[in-house]
Amino acid sequence: MATLAAPASGMARESRFFLVMAFVMAGIVVAAFSLQLAMGRSSFSSPLIVHAHAVVFMGWVALYVLQNIFAANGAMALHRRLGWIGAAWMVLMVVLGIAVTVLMVRRGQAPFFFLPLQFLIFNPLSILTFAGLTTAAIALRRQTEWHRRLHYCGMTLLLGPAFGRLLPMPLLIPYAHEAVFGAVMLFPLIGILADLRRTGRVHPAWLWGIGTIVGLQLVIETLPYSSAGASFYRAVTAGSPGAAVAPLDYPPPPGGPLITGRGTST
């Protein structure tokens, strides 16, 4: 009986870890966007697509927390049903995430602490990498240890925009993106430390997740300075105000309050 109880106890501890971290991640996201609103940096007059993007991405955060609650409490039937809703939800996230990025760059409204071309590349690639890790997690749903760690790594990537609102980004130029990357990487490292403390070994899913995120970072650091990156920027911004913005120069800060999603729906 003691032999049977030990693995069950280990799984319960693991479930508690992922549940606690889900709440921590959600708390960071809520704190970041609440701070934006409280400091007057967000506008409800943003285009409708920006609001749709916000609702869908916050919805994913809620889904992620609920999934961990269900898993920790053994409500696996609910967990599986919500998982398929999440799979469809992920598609919306990819479409809206890329669409909002393109909209901002075409309007010449990339955040001034990022290079416009860098922003155009890393935002969509981060969303696609999130989708790749999440899809892998769904494919490995019967292998619980892989499933929850890959989901966790995917969710980690979504913390980038939150850290971008919490960190003093203007003071971090020209390393603002690298600072966000460093903050994001803390979460998989916490997962590794939790594994070592609990079992004395590192599950290989962490290595795959971290390797994927580091690979993404390497692409982001090199692609903007390539001819392919420059061609991509020209193609996306053609015929828009963004075409007049130098892709590899930091834009000047806004003259007024630092507004996210500036502009109206026109």
Side-chain angles (χ1 to χ4, degrees):
M1 291 297 292
T3 304
L4 292 173
S9 175
M11 287 297 291
R13 288 174 59 200
E14 183 171 291
S15 294
R16 282 196 300 272
F17 166 77
F18 284 101
L19 177 59
V20 168
M21 294 307 295
F23 276 110
V24 170
M25 290 179 178
I28 289 172
V29 172
V30 171
F33 286 88
S34 297
L35 178 65
Q36 284 289 99
L37 187 60
M39 296 188 71
R41 294 174 179 170
S42 295
S43 171
F44 286 107
S45 65
S46 299
L48 181 60
I49 192 172
V50 175
H51 293 297
H53 167 272
V55 169
V56 169
F57 274 69
M58 288 300 291
W60 179 268
V61 174
L63 282 170
Y64 184 73
V65 172
L66 280 173
Q67 285 293 69
N68 278 280
I69 290 173
F70 292 152
N73 288 280
M76 299 312 296
L78 286 172
H79 181 86
R80 283 189 288 270
R81 291 194 197 103
L82 191 59
W84 291 116
I85 294 174
W89 201 274
M90 177 182 64
V91 177
L92 281 176
M93 294 172 69
V94 171
V95 172
L96 288 170
I98 293 175
V100 168
T101 301
V102 170
L103 173 69
M104 292 177 68
V105 172
R106 283 183 59 81
R107 296 176 74 162
Q109 294 177 346
F112 71 91
F113 35 79
F114 294 133
L115 299 172
L117 178 51
Q118 183 187 48
F119 178 73
L120 177 61
I121 288 173
F122 81 67
N123 228 30
L125 284 185
S126 296
I127 295 297
L128 290 170
T129 304
F130 150 78
L133 287 168
T134 302
T135 300
I138 293 170
L140 296 172
R141 61 191 178 276
R142 298 187 188 279
Q143 300 179 47
T144 302
E145 293 186 346
W146 281 87
H147 175 74
R148 59 186 17 162
R149 285 165 176 78
L150 291 174
H151 260 311
Y152 178 101
C153 289
M155 181 65 193
T156 292
L157 281 172
L158 298 186
L159 297 179
F163 282 120
R165 287 160 172 81
L166 291 173
L167 295 173
M169 300 297 276
L171 302 179
L172 297 172
I173 297 171
Y175 302 110
H177 180 262
E178 287 77 9
V180 170
F181 169 74
V184 164
M185 285 301 296
L186 290 174
F187 281 80
L189 294 177
I190 290 170
I192 284 177
L193 291 174
D195 267 15
L196 288 172
R197 183 177 179 183
R198 191 170 51 249
T199 67
R201 65 180 184 90
V202 177
H203 193 280
W206 292 123
L207 304 181
W208 280 96
I210 289 174
T212 300
I213 296 171
V214 170
L216 167 67
Q217 181 67 15
L218 292 175
V219 172
I220 291 168
E221 294 291 344
T222 56
L223 188 55
Y225 303 99
S226 68
S227 58
S231 298
F232 180 57
Y233 187 85
R234 288 194 297 270
V236 169
T237 60
S240 73
V245 177
L248 293 176
D249 289 340
Y250 288 97
L258 309 183
I259 302 298
T260 299
R262 298 182 293 278
T264 65
S265 58
T266 57

